[in-house]
Amino acid sequence: MRFRRRPVPRGAVALVTGASSGLGRAIAVALARDGAQVVVHGRDERRLARTARDTGGIPIAADLADPAQVRRLADEALRRAGRVDVLVHNAGVGWAGRFTDMPDNAAGRLLAVDLAAPIALTRSLLPPMLARGSGSLLFVTSIAGRTGVAGEAVYAAAKAGLDAFAESLRLELRGTGVTVGVLVPGVVDTDFFERRGAPYERRRPRPLPPERVAEAAVRAVAEGAAEVHAPRWLRLPVVVKAAAPGLYRTLAGRFGEHV
């Protein structure tokens, strides 16, 4: 029997980064369906306008690699929506290939968007949540940050850092009314892989529809969950790596480490 999940509080204001397409768009649509007012962020203004139109949301374009634009995003979200109750850190960039082949400026941009920007945006929007005694932070990380991935060393490092930041913040905010959750997705059927420079070509695991992963994200927000994997079996390699790291590395080397 499948139980209906608890909805996000109707009227809550949710800021979703990276919402112009893919998983971010699907999360924004799911939140709006629950009755949340969404503020949608992205860089592609045409696609962002479409997401805003489909969700009744407020579009704000910004390049998260620029700290000044991160601050502007926070200020404009508060000015136009009045408050932010739910902050979903979904925006991210990737790069695939050997680390020694990575262009000089690619690592800095990836770390800025995937790690520095979520920290800075949280720093700007967390104080009002603490003042109200309620709020929800959701960080979209990756299985790459839990296990490591050959060919994506910097991306995996950024996601691991985001995981550690979220875990530390969760401990710090205990009892404040502000929840901190992490969504750990595997392969999602979006154009992320083409944008990172290498399409996803493995037969298994099969990519999940972004709408299915978005439901997991909204469930994490609604229930205040500390951690949600999508798909759920994705916990298994993490458990194996923690319990038997030698065995995990042997299996990873034999069956492939690339996502």
Side-chain angles (χ1 to χ4, degrees), residues 20-67:
S20 56
S21 63
L23 179 57
R25 171 181 164 80
I27 292 172
V29 168
L31 286 167
R33 189 183 301 124
D34 262 21
Q37 178 186 353
V38 293
V39 180
V40 291
H41 155 269
R43 283 203 307 150
D44 187 321
E45 294 191 25
R46 181 181 61 82
R47 288 186 172 186
L48 187 62
R50 176 171 168 255
T51 301
R53 184 173 62 250
D54 291 347
T55 60
I58 300 170
I60 303 176
D63 183 354
L64 298 186
D66 181 351

mmCIF file of all heavy atoms in Angstrom, residues 20-67:
data_model
loop_
_atom_site.group_PDB
_atom_site.id
_atom_site.type_symbol
_atom_site.label_atom_id
_atom_site.label_comp_id
_atom_site.label_asym_id
_atom_site.label_seq_id
_atom_site.Cartn_x
_atom_site.Cartn_y
_atom_site.Cartn_z
ATOM 1 N N SER A 20 15.408 26.518 -14.251
ATOM 2 C CA SER A 20 15.011 26.798 -15.626
ATOM 3 C C SER A 20 14.764 25.524 -16.421
ATOM 4 O O SER A 20 14.079 25.550 -17.448
ATOM 5 C CB SER A 20 16.057 27.673 -16.324
ATOM 6 O OG SER A 20 17.334 27.066 -16.276
ATOM 7 N N SER A 21 15.308 24.387 -15.970
ATOM 8 C CA SER A 21 15.112 23.129 -16.686
ATOM 9 C C SER A 21 15.430 21.966 -15.754
ATOM 10 O O SER A 21 15.850 22.150 -14.610
ATOM 11 C CB SER A 21 16.004 23.066 -17.936
ATOM 12 O OG SER A 21 17.375 23.089 -17.565
ATOM 13 N N GLY A 22 15.245 20.752 -16.273
ATOM 14 C CA GLY A 22 15.677 19.551 -15.570
ATOM 15 C C GLY A 22 15.044 19.337 -14.211
ATOM 16 O O GLY A 22 13.853 19.580 -14.000
ATOM 17 N N LEU A 23 15.865 18.881 -13.262
ATOM 18 C CA LEU A 23 15.383 18.548 -11.929
ATOM 19 C C LEU A 23 14.846 19.779 -11.205
ATOM 20 O O LEU A 23 13.820 19.704 -10.520
ATOM 21 C CB LEU A 23 16.498 17.888 -11.112
ATOM 22 C CG LEU A 23 16.143 17.506 -9.675
ATOM 23 C CD1 LEU A 23 14.943 16.572 -9.626
ATOM 24 C CD2 LEU A 23 17.361 16.866 -8.996
ATOM 25 N N GLY A 24 15.528 20.914 -11.325
ATOM 26 C CA GLY A 24 15.067 22.117 -10.645
ATOM 27 C C GLY A 24 13.682 22.538 -11.089
ATOM 28 O O GLY A 24 12.839 22.927 -10.271
ATOM 29 N N ARG A 25 13.436 22.480 -12.386
ATOM 30 C CA ARG A 25 12.105 22.797 -12.901
ATOM 31 C C ARG A 25 11.071 21.825 -12.328
ATOM 32 O O ARG A 25 9.995 22.240 -11.893
ATOM 33 C CB ARG A 25 12.099 22.735 -14.422
ATOM 34 C CG ARG A 25 10.712 22.836 -15.038
ATOM 35 C CD ARG A 25 10.739 22.739 -16.556
ATOM 36 N NE ARG A 25 9.412 22.463 -17.068
ATOM 37 C CZ ARG A 25 8.450 23.369 -17.226
ATOM 38 N NH1 ARG A 25 8.683 24.638 -16.912
ATOM 39 N NH2 ARG A 25 7.265 23.028 -17.693
ATOM 40 N N ALA A 26 11.405 20.528 -12.310
ATOM 41 C CA ALA A 26 10.472 19.529 -11.789
ATOM 42 C C ALA A 26 10.179 19.766 -10.306
ATOM 43 O O ALA A 26 9.034 19.592 -9.859
ATOM 44 C CB ALA A 26 11.028 18.129 -12.005
ATOM 45 N N ILE A 27 11.184 20.164 -9.530
ATOM 46 C CA ILE A 27 10.966 20.455 -8.111
ATOM 47 C C ILE A 27 10.056 21.666 -7.948
ATOM 48 O O ILE A 27 9.146 21.668 -7.115
ATOM 49 C CB ILE A 27 12.308 20.679 -7.390
ATOM 50 C CG1 ILE A 27 13.104 19.371 -7.331
ATOM 51 C CG2 ILE A 27 12.085 21.220 -5.975
ATOM 52 C CD1 ILE A 27 14.526 19.538 -6.796
ATOM 53 N N ALA A 28 10.293 22.704 -8.742
ATOM 54 C CA ALA A 28 9.458 23.906 -8.666
ATOM 55 C C ALA A 28 8.010 23.582 -9.002
ATOM 56 O O ALA A 28 7.073 24.052 -8.333
ATOM 57 C CB ALA A 28 10.004 24.982 -9.604
ATOM 58 N N VAL A 29 7.790 22.769 -10.031
ATOM 59 C CA VAL A 29 6.434 22.380 -10.418
ATOM 60 C C VAL A 29 5.764 21.585 -9.299
ATOM 61 O O VAL A 29 4.588 21.817 -8.969
ATOM 62 C CB VAL A 29 6.468 21.561 -11.726
ATOM 63 C CG1 VAL A 29 5.111 20.902 -11.993
ATOM 64 C CG2 VAL A 29 6.865 22.454 -12.903
ATOM 65 N N ALA A 30 6.500 20.664 -8.685
ATOM 66 C CA ALA A 30 5.941 19.850 -7.607
ATOM 67 C C ALA A 30 5.595 20.697 -6.389
ATOM 68 O O ALA A 30 4.555 20.494 -5.748
ATOM 69 C CB ALA A 30 6.919 18.738 -7.230
ATOM 70 N N LEU A 31 6.448 21.648 -6.055
ATOM 71 C CA LEU A 31 6.170 22.536 -4.919
ATOM 72 C C LEU A 31 4.953 23.411 -5.189
ATOM 73 O O LEU A 31 4.096 23.603 -4.312
ATOM 74 C CB LEU A 31 7.389 23.404 -4.628
ATOM 75 C CG LEU A 31 8.574 22.713 -3.958
ATOM 76 C CD1 LEU A 31 9.817 23.590 -4.022
ATOM 77 C CD2 LEU A 31 8.257 22.374 -2.503
ATOM 78 N N ALA A 32 4.860 23.940 -6.417
ATOM 79 C CA ALA A 32 3.712 24.772 -6.773
ATOM 80 C C ALA A 32 2.423 23.961 -6.730
ATOM 81 O O ALA A 32 1.367 24.457 -6.310
ATOM 82 C CB ALA A 32 3.923 25.376 -8.163
ATOM 83 N N ARG A 33 2.507 22.708 -7.139
ATOM 84 C CA ARG A 33 1.330 21.835 -7.106
ATOM 85 C C ARG A 33 0.845 21.637 -5.678
ATOM 86 O O ARG A 33 -0.349 21.471 -5.427
ATOM 87 C CB ARG A 33 1.662 20.494 -7.752
ATOM 88 C CG ARG A 33 0.452 19.592 -7.964
ATOM 89 C CD ARG A 33 0.861 18.245 -8.549
ATOM 90 N NE ARG A 33 1.532 18.424 -9.826
ATOM 91 C CZ ARG A 33 2.749 17.968 -10.107
ATOM 92 N NH1 ARG A 33 3.454 17.331 -9.168
ATOM 93 N NH2 ARG A 33 3.276 18.152 -11.294
ATOM 94 N N ASP A 34 1.777 21.647 -4.733
ATOM 95 C CA ASP A 34 1.422 21.516 -3.312
ATOM 96 C C ASP A 34 0.822 22.802 -2.743
ATOM 97 O O ASP A 34 0.344 22.810 -1.616
ATOM 98 C CB ASP A 34 2.669 21.149 -2.498
ATOM 99 C CG ASP A 34 2.756 19.654 -2.222
ATOM 100 O OD1 ASP A 34 2.112 18.883 -2.954
ATOM 101 O OD2 ASP A 34 3.459 19.266 -1.286
ATOM 102 N N GLY A 35 0.898 23.894 -3.500
ATOM 103 C CA GLY A 35 0.346 25.158 -3.023
ATOM 104 C C GLY A 35 1.379 26.149 -2.554
ATOM 105 O O GLY A 35 1.038 27.203 -2.004
ATOM 106 N N ALA A 36 2.672 25.834 -2.766
ATOM 107 C CA ALA A 36 3.717 26.786 -2.390
ATOM 108 C C ALA A 36 3.817 27.892 -3.434
ATOM 109 O O ALA A 36 3.524 27.684 -4.613
ATOM 110 C CB ALA A 36 5.061 26.074 -2.266
ATOM 111 N N GLN A 37 4.232 29.073 -2.998
ATOM 112 C CA GLN A 37 4.595 30.131 -3.931
ATOM 113 C C GLN A 37 6.070 29.947 -4.240
ATOM 114 O O GLN A 37 6.896 29.888 -3.324
ATOM 115 C CB GLN A 37 4.373 31.521 -3.323
ATOM 116 C CG GLN A 37 4.800 32.649 -4.255
ATOM 117 C CD GLN A 37 4.724 34.019 -3.613
ATOM 118 O OE1 GLN A 37 4.223 34.162 -2.492
ATOM 119 N NE2 GLN A 37 5.238 35.022 -4.298
ATOM 120 N N VAL A 38 6.417 29.832 -5.499
ATOM 121 C CA VAL A 38 7.794 29.538 -5.841
ATOM 122 C C VAL A 38 8.503 30.749 -6.434
ATOM 123 O O VAL A 38 7.929 31.519 -7.201
ATOM 124 C CB VAL A 38 7.907 28.335 -6.817
ATOM 125 C CG1 VAL A 38 7.461 27.057 -6.139
ATOM 126 C CG2 VAL A 38 7.118 28.575 -8.089
ATOM 127 N N VAL A 39 9.743 30.895 -6.023
ATOM 128 C CA VAL A 39 10.670 31.842 -6.651
ATOM 129 C C VAL A 39 11.668 30.969 -7.393
ATOM 130 O O VAL A 39 12.322 30.117 -6.781
ATOM 131 C CB VAL A 39 11.387 32.713 -5.607
ATOM 132 C CG1 VAL A 39 12.352 33.677 -6.294
ATOM 133 C CG2 VAL A 39 10.375 33.481 -4.763
ATOM 134 N N VAL A 40 11.753 31.151 -8.698
ATOM 135 C CA VAL A 40 12.578 30.251 -9.510
ATOM 136 C C VAL A 40 13.801 30.991 -10.036
ATOM 137 O O VAL A 40 13.708 32.086 -10.562
ATOM 138 C CB VAL A 40 11.766 29.622 -10.656
ATOM 139 C CG1 VAL A 40 10.746 28.642 -10.095
ATOM 140 C CG2 VAL A 40 11.058 30.674 -11.503
ATOM 141 N N HIS A 41 14.939 30.355 -9.864
ATOM 142 C CA HIS A 41 16.204 30.938 -10.307
ATOM 143 C C HIS A 41 16.759 30.128 -11.472
ATOM 144 O O HIS A 41 16.577 28.909 -11.563
ATOM 145 C CB HIS A 41 17.233 30.931 -9.174
ATOM 146 C CG HIS A 41 18.645 30.934 -9.696
ATOM 147 N ND1 HIS A 41 19.348 29.757 -9.936
ATOM 148 C CD2 HIS A 41 19.458 31.939 -10.095
ATOM 149 C CE1 HIS A 41 20.534 30.051 -10.428
ATOM 150 N NE2 HIS A 41 20.637 31.354 -10.537
ATOM 151 N N GLY A 42 17.491 30.814 -12.346
ATOM 152 C CA GLY A 42 18.202 30.146 -13.429
ATOM 153 C C GLY A 42 19.032 31.159 -14.187
ATOM 154 O O GLY A 42 18.972 32.364 -13.918
ATOM 155 N N ARG A 43 19.798 30.665 -15.152
ATOM 156 C CA ARG A 43 20.592 31.571 -15.997
ATOM 157 C C ARG A 43 19.940 31.783 -17.355
ATOM 158 O O ARG A 43 20.079 32.849 -17.952
ATOM 159 C CB ARG A 43 22.004 31.016 -16.192
ATOM 160 C CG ARG A 43 22.908 31.200 -14.995
ATOM 161 C CD ARG A 43 24.363 31.163 -15.415
ATOM 162 N NE ARG A 43 24.707 29.976 -16.181
ATOM 163 C CZ ARG A 43 25.652 29.926 -17.109
ATOM 164 N NH1 ARG A 43 26.335 31.020 -17.405
ATOM 165 N NH2 ARG A 43 25.923 28.795 -17.734
ATOM 166 N N ASP A 44 19.244 30.784 -17.859
ATOM 167 C CA ASP A 44 18.589 30.871 -19.154
ATOM 168 C C ASP A 44 17.240 31.576 -18.975
ATOM 169 O O ASP A 44 16.271 30.986 -18.504
ATOM 170 C CB ASP A 44 18.394 29.465 -19.730
ATOM 171 C CG ASP A 44 17.865 29.463 -21.153
ATOM 172 O OD1 ASP A 44 17.006 30.307 -21.480
ATOM 173 O OD2 ASP A 44 18.305 28.610 -21.943
ATOM 174 N N GLU A 45 17.174 32.845 -19.349
ATOM 175 C CA GLU A 45 15.984 33.643 -19.069
ATOM 176 C C GLU A 45 14.758 33.142 -19.829
ATOM 177 O O GLU A 45 13.634 33.224 -19.315
ATOM 178 C CB GLU A 45 16.256 35.111 -19.385
ATOM 179 C CG GLU A 45 17.309 35.727 -18.471
ATOM 180 C CD GLU A 45 17.394 37.235 -18.607
ATOM 181 O OE1 GLU A 45 16.394 37.853 -19.014
ATOM 182 O OE2 GLU A 45 18.455 37.792 -18.299
ATOM 183 N N ARG A 46 14.933 32.635 -21.028
ATOM 184 C CA ARG A 46 13.788 32.134 -21.794
ATOM 185 C C ARG A 46 13.180 30.906 -21.118
ATOM 186 O O ARG A 46 11.966 30.830 -20.910
ATOM 187 C CB ARG A 46 14.223 31.801 -23.221
ATOM 188 C CG ARG A 46 13.092 31.283 -24.117
ATOM 189 C CD ARG A 46 13.613 30.956 -25.502
ATOM 190 N NE ARG A 46 14.639 29.922 -25.461
ATOM 191 C CZ ARG A 46 14.370 28.616 -25.402
ATOM 192 N NH1 ARG A 46 13.118 28.197 -25.323
ATOM 193 N NH2 ARG A 46 15.360 27.729 -25.403
ATOM 194 N N ARG A 47 14.026 29.951 -20.741
ATOM 195 C CA ARG A 47 13.526 28.760 -20.066
ATOM 196 C C ARG A 47 12.982 29.101 -18.684
ATOM 197 O O ARG A 47 11.990 28.522 -18.224
ATOM 198 C CB ARG A 47 14.642 27.723 -19.939
ATOM 199 C CG ARG A 47 15.025 27.037 -21.237
ATOM 200 C CD ARG A 47 16.037 25.945 -20.958
ATOM 201 N NE ARG A 47 16.307 25.124 -22.116
ATOM 202 C CZ ARG A 47 17.060 24.036 -22.107
ATOM 203 N NH1 ARG A 47 17.623 23.632 -20.957
ATOM 204 N NH2 ARG A 47 17.265 23.337 -23.193
ATOM 205 N N LEU A 48 13.634 30.032 -18.019
ATOM 206 C CA LEU A 48 13.194 30.438 -16.688
ATOM 207 C C LEU A 48 11.795 31.047 -16.746
ATOM 208 O O LEU A 48 10.952 30.788 -15.879
ATOM 209 C CB LEU A 48 14.196 31.430 -16.093
ATOM 210 C CG LEU A 48 13.987 31.826 -14.639
ATOM 211 C CD1 LEU A 48 14.098 30.611 -13.731
ATOM 212 C CD2 LEU A 48 14.997 32.893 -14.234
ATOM 213 N N ALA A 49 11.549 31.849 -17.779
ATOM 214 C CA ALA A 49 10.229 32.455 -17.941
ATOM 215 C C ALA A 49 9.157 31.381 -18.130
ATOM 216 O O ALA A 49 8.028 31.510 -17.626
ATOM 217 C CB ALA A 49 10.245 33.411 -19.134
ATOM 218 N N ARG A 50 9.510 30.321 -18.830
ATOM 219 C CA ARG A 50 8.561 29.219 -19.021
ATOM 220 C C ARG A 50 8.250 28.534 -17.694
ATOM 221 O O ARG A 50 7.080 28.227 -17.400
ATOM 222 C CB ARG A 50 9.137 28.209 -20.012
ATOM 223 C CG ARG A 50 8.265 26.980 -20.218
ATOM 224 C CD ARG A 50 8.782 26.126 -21.361
ATOM 225 N NE ARG A 50 8.142 24.822 -21.396
ATOM 226 C CZ ARG A 50 8.708 23.692 -21.017
ATOM 227 N NH1 ARG A 50 9.961 23.701 -20.575
ATOM 228 N NH2 ARG A 50 8.062 22.552 -21.064
ATOM 229 N N THR A 51 9.284 28.277 -16.880
ATOM 230 C CA THR A 51 9.039 27.675 -15.567
ATOM 231 C C THR A 51 8.162 28.574 -14.711
ATOM 232 O O THR A 51 7.237 28.107 -14.034
ATOM 233 C CB THR A 51 10.366 27.394 -14.841
ATOM 234 O OG1 THR A 51 11.174 26.511 -15.613
ATOM 235 C CG2 THR A 51 10.123 26.766 -13.473
ATOM 236 N N ALA A 52 8.451 29.873 -14.730
ATOM 237 C CA ALA A 52 7.649 30.821 -13.945
ATOM 238 C C ALA A 52 6.204 30.824 -14.420
ATOM 239 O O ALA A 52 5.265 30.860 -13.606
ATOM 240 C CB ALA A 52 8.256 32.220 -14.055
ATOM 241 N N ARG A 53 6.009 30.776 -15.718
ATOM 242 C CA ARG A 53 4.650 30.769 -16.266
ATOM 243 C C ARG A 53 3.906 29.496 -15.855
ATOM 244 O O ARG A 53 2.734 29.547 -15.473
ATOM 245 C CB ARG A 53 4.723 30.867 -17.790
ATOM 246 C CG ARG A 53 3.362 30.958 -18.479
ATOM 247 C CD ARG A 53 3.515 31.227 -19.962
ATOM 248 N NE ARG A 53 4.231 30.161 -20.660
ATOM 249 C CZ ARG A 53 5.453 30.272 -21.153
ATOM 250 N NH1 ARG A 53 6.114 31.419 -21.035
ATOM 251 N NH2 ARG A 53 6.038 29.256 -21.780
ATOM 252 N N ASP A 54 4.595 28.373 -15.881
ATOM 253 C CA ASP A 54 3.934 27.100 -15.573
ATOM 254 C C ASP A 54 3.667 26.906 -14.084
ATOM 255 O O ASP A 54 2.843 26.069 -13.709
ATOM 256 C CB ASP A 54 4.791 25.936 -16.082
ATOM 257 C CG ASP A 54 4.836 25.875 -17.606
ATOM 258 O OD1 ASP A 54 4.016 26.560 -18.252
ATOM 259 O OD2 ASP A 54 5.699 25.157 -18.145
ATOM 260 N N THR A 55 4.381 27.634 -13.248
ATOM 261 C CA THR A 55 4.222 27.478 -11.795
ATOM 262 C C THR A 55 3.563 28.687 -11.136
ATOM 263 O O THR A 55 3.288 28.637 -9.930
ATOM 264 C CB THR A 55 5.599 27.256 -11.124
ATOM 265 O OG1 THR A 55 6.435 28.393 -11.391
ATOM 266 C CG2 THR A 55 6.264 25.991 -11.637
ATOM 267 N N GLY A 56 3.359 29.760 -11.899
ATOM 268 C CA GLY A 56 2.887 31.004 -11.294
ATOM 269 C C GLY A 56 3.943 31.632 -10.403
ATOM 270 O O GLY A 56 3.637 32.371 -9.469
ATOM 271 N N GLY A 57 5.214 31.313 -10.700
ATOM 272 C CA GLY A 57 6.309 31.740 -9.830
ATOM 273 C C GLY A 57 6.943 33.055 -10.225
ATOM 274 O O GLY A 57 6.600 33.671 -11.242
ATOM 275 N N ILE A 58 7.889 33.470 -9.417
ATOM 276 C CA ILE A 58 8.646 34.703 -9.620
ATOM 277 C C ILE A 58 10.004 34.336 -10.181
ATOM 278 O O ILE A 58 10.783 33.643 -9.522
ATOM 279 C CB ILE A 58 8.816 35.462 -8.293
ATOM 280 C CG1 ILE A 58 7.459 35.838 -7.703
ATOM 281 C CG2 ILE A 58 9.694 36.697 -8.485
ATOM 282 C CD1 ILE A 58 7.535 36.369 -6.279
ATOM 283 N N PRO A 59 10.344 34.778 -11.404
ATOM 284 C CA PRO A 59 11.637 34.422 -11.977
ATOM 285 C C PRO A 59 12.729 35.427 -11.606
ATOM 286 O O PRO A 59 12.502 36.641 -11.645
ATOM 287 C CB PRO A 59 11.366 34.458 -13.484
ATOM 288 C CG PRO A 59 10.312 35.517 -13.636
ATOM 289 C CD PRO A 59 9.482 35.483 -12.377
ATOM 290 N N ILE A 60 13.888 34.914 -11.239
ATOM 291 C CA ILE A 60 15.051 35.765 -10.967
ATOM 292 C C ILE A 60 16.262 35.115 -11.627
ATOM 293 O O ILE A 60 16.676 34.016 -11.251
ATOM 294 C CB ILE A 60 15.321 35.942 -9.460
ATOM 295 C CG1 ILE A 60 14.092 36.511 -8.751
ATOM 296 C CG2 ILE A 60 16.529 36.851 -9.244
ATOM 297 C CD1 ILE A 60 14.256 36.623 -7.244
ATOM 298 N N ALA A 61 16.822 35.793 -12.610
ATOM 299 C CA ALA A 61 18.004 35.278 -13.304
ATOM 300 C C ALA A 61 19.270 35.741 -12.593
ATOM 301 O O ALA A 61 19.358 36.892 -12.153
ATOM 302 C CB ALA A 61 18.017 35.747 -14.750
ATOM 303 N N ALA A 62 20.236 34.852 -12.462
ATOM 304 C CA ALA A 62 21.509 35.200 -11.826
ATOM 305 C C ALA A 62 22.538 34.136 -12.153
ATOM 306 O O ALA A 62 22.202 32.961 -12.336
ATOM 307 C CB ALA A 62 21.350 35.322 -10.308
ATOM 308 N N ASP A 63 23.794 34.561 -12.218
ATOM 309 C CA ASP A 63 24.922 33.645 -12.408
ATOM 310 C C ASP A 63 25.536 33.368 -11.042
ATOM 311 O O ASP A 63 26.158 34.255 -10.440
ATOM 312 C CB ASP A 63 25.957 34.274 -13.340
ATOM 313 C CG ASP A 63 27.117 33.335 -13.638
ATOM 314 O OD1 ASP A 63 27.180 32.238 -13.038
ATOM 315 O OD2 ASP A 63 27.975 33.699 -14.470
ATOM 316 N N LEU A 64 25.373 32.161 -10.543
ATOM 317 C CA LEU A 64 25.818 31.839 -9.187
ATOM 318 C C LEU A 64 27.333 31.739 -9.062
ATOM 319 O O LEU A 64 27.845 31.607 -7.945
ATOM 320 C CB LEU A 64 25.178 30.533 -8.716
ATOM 321 C CG LEU A 64 23.646 30.541 -8.608
ATOM 322 C CD1 LEU A 64 23.155 29.250 -7.985
ATOM 323 C CD2 LEU A 64 23.148 31.737 -7.814
ATOM 324 N N ALA A 65 28.047 31.835 -10.178
ATOM 325 C CA ALA A 65 29.510 31.871 -10.087
ATOM 326 C C ALA A 65 29.995 33.241 -9.638
ATOM 327 O O ALA A 65 31.164 33.390 -9.264
ATOM 328 C CB ALA A 65 30.133 31.522 -11.436
ATOM 329 N N ASP A 66 29.120 34.232 -9.642
ATOM 330 C CA ASP A 66 29.455 35.608 -9.262
ATOM 331 C C ASP A 66 28.886 35.887 -7.869
ATOM 332 O O ASP A 66 27.658 35.951 -7.707
ATOM 333 C CB ASP A 66 28.855 36.573 -10.283
ATOM 334 C CG ASP A 66 29.175 38.032 -9.984
ATOM 335 O OD1 ASP A 66 29.708 38.330 -8.898
ATOM 336 O OD2 ASP A 66 28.862 38.878 -10.838
ATOM 337 N N PRO A 67 29.717 36.063 -6.841
ATOM 338 C CA PRO A 67 29.207 36.293 -5.486
ATOM 339 C C PRO A 67 28.254 37.482 -5.385
ATOM 340 O O PRO A 67 27.295 37.446 -4.600
ATOM 341 C CB PRO A 67 30.480 36.538 -4.663
ATOM 342 C CG PRO A 67 31.556 35.827 -5.422
ATOM 343 C CD PRO A 67 31.190 35.981 -6.871
#
